[in-house]
Amino acid sequence: MFEKIKQLKKLHDQAGQMKEALSQETVQAGSAHGKINVVMNGNQEILALYIDKELLSPDKKDETEKAIKEAVNEAIKKSQKAMAQKIQSMGGLNIPGLGL
């Protein structure tokens, strides 16, 4: 029983270290020919969003919404890749019985 508690504590500590390490990783993604840019950290938190003023006019609403979705989705993909690389570089996740 105490061994399982130790393993859970170790896993919790690893998760905290991983979250901290990922918060230091950043990715950038853009769309609409660079008129929309998103900066996201490895924990998938948006740190910055740039929208060119040309896209802020009411007649560009649909184009702007589409471009924001594209940029955010690309940033998520990049952050997931960065997350996987960071996990690998830190020795993977040591979860007993899962082989990760």
Side-chain angles (χ1 to χ4, degrees), residues 36-92:
I36 302 280
N37 283 296
V38 175
V39 178
M40 182 177 284
N41 70 16
N43 290 319
Q44 298 183 338
E45 298 167 330
I46 295 175
L47 303 176
L49 172 64
Y50 167 79
I51 303 172
D52 188 287
K53 63 183 177 183
E54 176 186 317
L55 294 177
L56 294 176
S57 64
D59 61 317
K60 301 267 186 172
K61 180 182 181 299
D62 291 338
E63 178 185 350
T64 303
E65 289 173 349
K66 181 181 175 187
I68 290 170
K69 285 189 280 186
E70 288 173 3
V72 169
N73 286 334
E74 182 63 25
I76 289 170
K77 287 177 189 174
K78 286 182 174 183
S79 72
Q80 288 172 339
K81 185 176 181 179
M83 187 185 316
Q85 290 172 340
K86 183 58 92 175
I87 289 170
Q88 229 174 11
S89 75
M90 293 179 75

Side-chain angles (χ1 to χ4, degrees), residues 21-41:
L22 289 171
S23 72
Q24 304 303 314
E25 298 286 323
T26 59
V27 297
Q28 182 174 339
S31 64
H33 307 289
K35 293 180 181 176
I36 302 280
N37 283 296
V38 175
V39 178
M40 182 177 284
N41 70 16

